[in-house]
Amino acid sequence: MTGDKDELLSLLADSTREIEELTAAFNAALADAKRQQIARVAAARAANATWEEIGEKTNRRRQNAHRDFSPHIEETVTRTVRQKGQPEGE
């Protein structure tokens, strides 16, 4: 590429701006995709999907899926507590 210095520096600045804009757009799209994935993991867990199953679908081991996603979702556990020897429903 030939030309005068000012023209070349102007082209360099243009390409730098273009790279910065593309990087920002990519990062925004990636953040949206990650938010959507977390929402889908939360929905799958609510539908009783195991961490093993989620790991398989996200190309992770069970432990890694749990480590990566569990801090971003809230899970609740319902427990039934009753006195020992007491039949259910009383």
Side-chain angles (χ1 to χ4, degrees), residues 9-25:
L9 290 173
S10 178
L11 290 171
L12 178 59
D14 290 346
S15 64
T16 300
R17 267 191 302 280
E18 183 179 2
I19 289 169
E20 289 170 349
E21 290 170 3
L22 289 169
T23 300

Side-chain angles (χ1 to χ4, degrees), residues 14 17 25 27 29 31 33 39 41 54 64 71 77 88-89:
D14 290 346
R17 267 191 302 280
N27 288 338
V41 167
I54 291 168
N64 293 343
V77 177
E88 284 189 47

